[in-house]
C-alpha cells in the first residue's frame, strides 16, 4: 500500500473572494418525514417542541450555524398555494402531495410555522414561489403578506392571523425546476415568465428582495444563456437589468442511473470511486455555467445558486419510495467535503448552496425515529467546516509527489486529495479530504506569506466507507481530535505535515501570528 504524498501551498497573504455563509444553506421540502415528524411534530406531541417545532432538531441545527433554509420545495413548491397554509389549522384545506408519495397534506405547517422555525434556527428564510401552477398575483401577494408594513389587504390578513410586524424575507425563488416538475417549460418561455414574476415581486419598505430565477439542471448551459440574455448581452459594459439577482442550478451525485441509483450502505470499492468522481464533476459544471455568465456579466454582479445538491440513492428497503429516505455513510460525508472545497474555489460567483435535504430525506443532516435523533456523518462535515462561513478564501496549490489519483473504468483519473483554506477572525482553517479507499495520505502544508501559532486538528473517519450512524450507534462516525496526525518542522516553521487515514476528512485550525 503506497502512501499518497503531496504538498499544499497556502498563500496567507493573497486573499481570495469571501466564502458566503449561504454556501452552507439547507433545504426543507414537504416530502416524506422532512417536515412532519422531522421539523414539526404538532402542538399535541409529547416530544419537546415550541409551537409544534421539534426542539432537539433546532438545537442540533443551531450548532451548525445554518445561514438559510429553503422551503416549501422542490417540486412541491409548484403545487403549493400559500393561502391554504395560513389561519386556524382546523380551517386549512387539505391537498394531495402528488409529487411525493401521493399522500394527504393537511397544511398544518405553513407560512407562519416556517418563519417561526427560521427564527428559532437563527436562519434566513428562502421561499420558493409557485410558478408552475400559481399566478403572478399569488406570489406578489405572498411577498406583500410577509414583508409589507402599514396598511394593505395582505397586511390586514397577516395581522388577522396574529403577526403584526412584517418579517424580513430577502430570498425568493421564482419557481423550481421549471424545465421539469415545475412546468416542463422551454427556456425561452420561462425566461419571459421570470421577468414578469420578478416585476411584481416588489420590495416593500427596507426589505430588498434577492430574486433567484429557476436555472439549469446539471450542465444545461443553453438554459443559463437564455436567462442571461434576458438581462444583458455578450460583452456589454452596463450593469445587467435588475429583474433577478441570481440563477439557480441543481446537481445530484449518484453512482448509477436515475432508474437504479444504488444502495446508500451496500456498495463496493468501484462504486465508491464512481461516486466521488461524480461529486468532483460539480467543479466542471459550475465552471461551465460561470463561464457563460461571465460573457454577459463580466463583473459578476449576478449570483449562481446551487440550491439543490447532494447524494441520491435508492430508498431504504421497506420505506415508501416517494419519501426518499436513505441512510448516510462516511462516503456521503466525503462527498460533502469535496463539494465544499469546490464551492470555496468558486466563491466569486457561487453565492448560495442548499443541501438536499435537512431532515430524513436524501443526504440529510439529521435522521429522526420518533423521539430519537441521529446526527449523520454529513452533519459533522458541516459542523467541522462552519468556520469557513463568511471567511476569506485563500488560494491553495496542490502538488503531488506520489499517488494522489485513482484510475476509473472509463480511463479517466480521480484526484484523491482535496484541500481548501480560509481565514477569519485571526484564524486559519484548512479542510482536507483523502478519498483513497485504502491508502493513507501525507500532506505537507506549506504556509507562505505569514506565520501561524500552534495548530490543532480534527478527524472524521471510520473503519470502512460504508459505516453510518444509527440510534443504536449514534457516534459510529464522529469527529475526534487529531493532533497526533500533525507534525511540525522545527527548522522550517512554515511547514506542517498532516497524516490522513484512508477515506477520511480533516480540518486544521491555527491562529495567525502577528
Amino acid at each position: 500500500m503506497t502512501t499518497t504524498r503531496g504538498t499544499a501551498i497556502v498563500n496567507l497573504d493573497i486573499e481570495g473572494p469571501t466564502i458566503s455563509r449561504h454556501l452552507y444553506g439547507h433545504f426543507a421540502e414537504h416530502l416524506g418525514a422532512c417536515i412532519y415528524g422531522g421539523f414539526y411534530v404538532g402542538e399535541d406531541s409529547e416530544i419537546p417542541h415550541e409551537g409544534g417545532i421539534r426542539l432537539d432538531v433546532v438545537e442540533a441545527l443551531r450548532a451548525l450555524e445554518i445561514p438559510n433554509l429553503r422551503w416549501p420545495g422542490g417540486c412541491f413548491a409548484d403545487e403549493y398555494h400559500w393561502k391554504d397554509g395560513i389561519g386556524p389549522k382546523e380551517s386549512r384545506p387539505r391537498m394531495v402531495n402528488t409529487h411525493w408519495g401521493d399522500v394527504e397534506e393537511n397544511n398544518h405547517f405553513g407560512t407562519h410555522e416556517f418563519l417561526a422555525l427560521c427564527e428559532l434556527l437563527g436562519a434566513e428564510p428562502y421561499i420558493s414561489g409557485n410558478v408552475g401552477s400559481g399566478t403572478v398575483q399569488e406570489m406578489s401577494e405572498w411577498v406583500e403578506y410577509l414583508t409589507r408594513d402599514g396598511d394593505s389587504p395582505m397586511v390586514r390578513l397577516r395581522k388577522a392571523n396574529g403577526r403584526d410586524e412584517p418579517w424580513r424575507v430577502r430570498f425568493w425563488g421564482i419557481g423550481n425546476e421549471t424545465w421539469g416538475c415545475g412546468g416542463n417549460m422551454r427556456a425561452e418561455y420561462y425566461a419571459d415568465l421570470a421577468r414578469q414574476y420578478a416585476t411584481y415581486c416588489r420590495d416593500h419598505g427596507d426589505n430588498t428582495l434577492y430574486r433567484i430565477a429557476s436555472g439549469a439542471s446539471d450542465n444545461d448551459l443553453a438554459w443559463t444563456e437564455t436567462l442571461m440574455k434576458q438581462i444583458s448581452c455578450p460583452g456589454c459594459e452596463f450593469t445587467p437589468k435588475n429583474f433577478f439577482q441570481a440563477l439557480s442550478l441543481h446537481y445530484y451525485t449518484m453512482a448509477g442511473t436515475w432508474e437504479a441509483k444504488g444502495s446508500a450502505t451496500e456498495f463496493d470499492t468501484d462504486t465508491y470511486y464512481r461516486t466521488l468522481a461524480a461529486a468532483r464533476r460539480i467543479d466542471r459544471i459550475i465552471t461551465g455555467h460561470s463561464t457563460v455568465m461571465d460573457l454577459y456579466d463580466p463583473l459578476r454582479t449576478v449570483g449562481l445558486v446551487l440550491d439543490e445538491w447532494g447524494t441520491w440513492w435508492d430508498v431504504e428497503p421497506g420505506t415508501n419510495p416517494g419519501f426518499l429516505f436513505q441512510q448516510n455513510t462516511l462516503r456521503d460525508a466525503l462527498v460533502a467535503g469535496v463539494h465544499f472545497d469546490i464551492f470555496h474555489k468558486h466563491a466569486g460567483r457561487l453565492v448560495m448552496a442548499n443541501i438536499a435535504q435537512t431532515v430524513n430525506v436524501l443526504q440529510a443532516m439529521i435522521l429522526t425515529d420518533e423521539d430519537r435523533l441521529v446526527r449523520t456523518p454529513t452533519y459533522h462535515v458541516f459542523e467541522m467546516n462552519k468556520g469557513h462561513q463568511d471567511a476569506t478564501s485563500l488560494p491553495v496549490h496542490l502538488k503531488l509527489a506520489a499517488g494522489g489519483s485513482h484510475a476509473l473504468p472509463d480511463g479517466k483519473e480521480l484526484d484523491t486529495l482535496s484541500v481548501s483554506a480560509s481565514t477569519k477572525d485571526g484564524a486559519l482553517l484548512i479542510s482536507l479530504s483523502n478519498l483513497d479507499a485504502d491508502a493513507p495520505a501525507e500532506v505537507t502544508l506549506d504556509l507562505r506569506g505569514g506565520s501561524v501559532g500552534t495548530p490543532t486538528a480534527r478527524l472524521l473517519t471510520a473503519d470502512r466507507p460504508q459505516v453510518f450512524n444509527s440510534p443504536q450507534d449514534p457516534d459510529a462516525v464522529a469527529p475526534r481530535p487529531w493532533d497526533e496526525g500533525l507534525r511540525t518542522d522545527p527548522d522550517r516553521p512554515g511547514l506542517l505535515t498532516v497524516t490522513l487515514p484512508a477515506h477520511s476528512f480533516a480540518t486544521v485550525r491555527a491562529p495567525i501570528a502577528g
Side-chain angles (χ1 to χ4, degrees), residues 143-411:
V143 175
E144 179 185 332
Y145 182 90
L146 289 174
T147 65
R148 187 173 179 82
D149 203 356
D151 183 37
S152 75
M154 291 301 105
V155 172
R156 290 193 291 273
L157 180 60
R158 183 189 71 231
K159 291 181 177 180
N161 288 325
R163 174 78 181 198
D164 289 338
E165 297 299 319
W167 289 279
R168 180 173 293 277
V169 184
R170 291 194 299 154
F171 301 123
W172 289 83
I174 306 173
N176 167 78
E177 294 188 359
T178 49
W179 40 264
C181 64
N184 287 307
M185 302 175 191
R186 295 178 301 108
E188 294 79 8
Y189 177 76
Y190 170 71
D192 286 338
L193 283 182
R195 290 172 58 133
Q196 182 185 17
Y197 272 74
T199 300
Y200 290 96
C201 290
R202 304 185 187 281
D203 297 339
H204 293 284
D206 62 354
N207 187 84
T208 302
L209 301 189
Y210 192 84
R211 304 166 185 85
I212 302 168
S214 174
S217 172
D218 296 355
N219 59 355
D220 186 354
L221 303 185
W223 187 283
T224 292
E225 184 166 30
T226 300
L227 288 178
M228 292 303 296
K229 286 179 179 178
Q230 296 294 313
I231 57 176
S232 189
C233 59
C236 287
E237 296 182 4
F238 57 76
T239 302
K241 297 181 178 68
N242 201 33
F243 296 126
F244 40 82
Q245 289 70 53
L247 313 181
S248 71
L249 169 67
H250 290 178
Y251 178 75
Y252 286 95
T253 295
M254 59 190 74
T257 65
W258 278 105
E259 294 74 23
K261 302 177 184 69
S263 169
T265 58
E266 298 178 6
F267 52 88
D268 59 20
T269 302
D270 286 342
T271 303
Y272 166 85
Y273 280 121
R274 286 203 308 273
T275 302
L276 273 302
R280 278 200 175 275
R281 184 169 174 254
I282 190 60
D283 189 9
R284 291 179 59 86
I285 289 174
I286 294 174
T287 298
H289 290 284
S290 295
T291 301
V292 171
M293 295 174 74
D294 284 346
L295 180 64
Y296 293 84
D297 176 33
L299 297 182
R300 297 192 165 186
T301 61
V302 179
L304 183 61
V305 172
L306 182 65
D307 56 16
E308 289 188 31
W309 69 272
T311 55
W312 195 327
W313 308 117
D314 295 337
V315 301
E316 291 301 305
T319 64
N320 187 323
F323 285 4
L324 303 188
F325 176 80
Q326 64 186 41
Q327 254 301 346
N328 191 302
T329 68
L330 177 61
R331 173 180 64 166
D332 298 280
L334 294 174
V335 168
V338 166
H339 271 70
F340 284 130
D341 288 342
I342 293 168
F343 293 171
H344 300 165
K345 172 184 174 182
H346 291 281
R349 175 70 78 177
L350 191 69
V351 297
M352 181 188 290
N354 303 77
I355 192 166
Q357 293 185 12
T358 313
V359 187
N360 291 330
V361 173
L362 298 176
Q363 192 176 350
M365 301 295 102
I366 291 168
L367 303 179
T368 62
D369 181 6
E370 296 183 346
D371 62 343
R372 296 180 293 184
L373 178 149
V374 173
R375 293 165 176 81
T376 67
T378 299
Y379 173 98
H380 293 304
V381 172
F382 273 73
E383 188 277 325
M384 294 169 71
N385 254 12
K386 66 183 180 182
H388 288 300
Q389 295 186 26
D390 284 340
T392 300
S393 63
L394 298 176
V396 177
H397 302 281
L398 184 60
K399 299 165 57 179
L400 299 177
S405 65
H406 177 83
L408 300 170
D410 60 4

